[in-house]
Amino acid sequence: MLKEERIKKKYTQEELSELTKVDPRTILRIEKDFTVPKVDTYAKIVIALGLNDEEIGKHVRNIANKCKEK
């Protein structure tokens, strides 16, 4: 879901990485659901993407559901 938000804002992974100071490989792993982001990493990304509370809630529920599946 974060990938779709990043694309809506017309950011590349590298641009988002520069904005957030999060390694681009970490952003890739988060977008491909290979890893669950740490809270501070997630916060940096959602702030950079300018997500509102409702959008953040959807993302958190999505992450929680994926954690249950593992």
Side-chain angles (χ1 to χ4, degrees):
M1 292 181 92
L2 287 177
K3 179 178 181 177
E4 291 82 9
E5 296 295 337
R6 175 181 58 78
I7 291 170
K8 274 191 221 175
K9 302 287 184 184
K10 299 184 179 172
Y11 291 133
T12 65
Q13 288 176 341
E14 292 78 18
E15 290 169 331
L16 185 58
S17 172
E18 289 175 19
L19 283 171
T20 60
K21 306 297 185 227
V22 172
D23 188 280
R25 291 173 292 189
T26 300
I27 293 172
L28 173 69
R29 289 191 299 266
I30 293 167
E31 287 184 354
K32 292 195 177 269
D33 297 324
F34 293 154
T35 189
V36 175
K38 294 179 185 176
V39 172
D40 62 326
T41 301
Y42 184 74
K44 290 175 186 177
I45 293 170
V46 298
I47 289 168
L49 294 175
L51 300 181
N52 64 38
D53 291 343
E54 183 178 333
E55 293 165 325
I56 292 169
K58 282 194 266 184
H59 291 284
V60 170
R61 284 189 296 281
N62 185 41
I63 291 169
N65 288 334
K66 288 180 189 213
C67 287
K68 288 178 187 177
E69 293 171 3
K70 292 183 180 183

